[in-house]
Every structure is written in C-alpha cells, then in structure tokens.
Amino acid sequence: MTRERLIGLMTGAAALLLTLYAVYGDARAPQNQKDSVWQMAIFSLVVTAIVFGVLLPWAMKRVPGKAGLIVSILGVVSLAAFWSGLPVVLGSAGATLGMVGREGVAERRGRATAAVIVGVGAVVVAIGFTLLTNAVLH
C-alpha cells in the first residue's frame, strides 16, 4: 500500500469520526441532525474515495504542488461546513499532494510547501471548531 493510499484511509476514518462527533458529541443536537448524520458520514466517505482514489493519482502525475494548493484552499473554503468532514478530506489531500510536490523539481517547492501548510491548517481548524463548538454547547 502506498503512502498516499494509507493517508487516504486514515483521512476517511478521521472525517467519519469528526462527522459523528459533531452530532453525537453535542448533548443538545436536535433529532433531525441525528437522523441525517449517516447521510453526511456516507457523503464524506464517498468524497474521500473520489479525492484519494481519482484526483490524487491524476494530480500526482502532473503538477502535484499546484493541485495541492488548489485542493488545500478548497479545504479552507469548506470550513463553513467544518462538521461535515470535508475540510479534513480536502486539507489532507492538498497536504499530501504538497508533500509529493516537495519531492519534485526544486523551483516548484514553494507552492508545494504552501499546499502542505494550508492543508494542515484546514484540518487543524476543522477539528478545533468541532471540539470547541461541542465543548461550548455542553
């Protein structure tokens, strides 16, 4: 198993756990959120499979640093739905592409480094928002 596939599996698990915790970790979560959490969980797993199974292999063969930065920025934009797991998926994918890009041509490493930083930042902020909102609501 490649490093990228392993990161994808761990990302899928983290996105699923974050989605479940966002609802079940909130003592005051309304029933409609509890009823629909499985749809959101399945959605985040499907997005993980598409991003890590299709997008990542495609982008790794072309311009991983540039693609990584774009995906990482999408991870930041998706923070509006931090509870969905999308920032974790997109941020992790962007950071992974950035790591691959850093192993390539030296003059393209700046963009790849930015992809890693922005991607990891999106993941950390999404987890932080979820933990903070559940802690404040208790």
Side-chain angles (χ1 to χ4, degrees):
M1 178 176 294
T2 65
R3 167 185 70 174
E4 292 79 18
R5 297 233 183 227
L6 182 59
I7 291 171
L9 288 173
M10 291 187 308
T11 296
L16 175 64
L17 291 174
L18 184 72
T19 301
L20 294 175
Y21 179 72
V23 174
Y24 293 116
D26 178 0
R28 295 189 238 174
Q31 189 60 41
N32 66 336
Q33 278 185 342
K34 292 177 182 177
D35 292 341
S36 65
V37 70
W38 294 106
Q39 295 166 346
M40 199 65 235
I42 291 169
F43 173 75
S44 70
L45 290 175
V46 168
V47 169
T48 302
I50 292 169
V51 168
F52 279 89
V54 178
L55 175 69
L56 222 70
W58 177 84
M60 284 172 44
K61 295 175 185 171
R62 287 156 182 84
V63 284
K66 181 178 181 179
L69 186 56
I70 291 168
V71 174
S72 291
I73 290 170
L74 290 173
V76 170
V77 170
S78 70
L79 283 170
F82 64 91
W83 43 265
S84 69
L86 283 178
V88 172
V89 173
L90 297 173
S92 296
T96 302
L97 285 167
M99 289 186 323
V100 171
R102 287 186 45 79
E103 296 166 356
V105 180
E107 51 272 0
R108 294 187 184 155
R109 287 192 185 149
R111 201 177 282 166
T113 300
V116 173
I117 293 168
V118 172
V120 169
V123 172
V124 169
V125 170
I127 292 170
F129 277 173
T130 303
L131 294 174
L132 182 64
T133 56
N134 281 353
V136 169
L137 294 175
H138 286 279

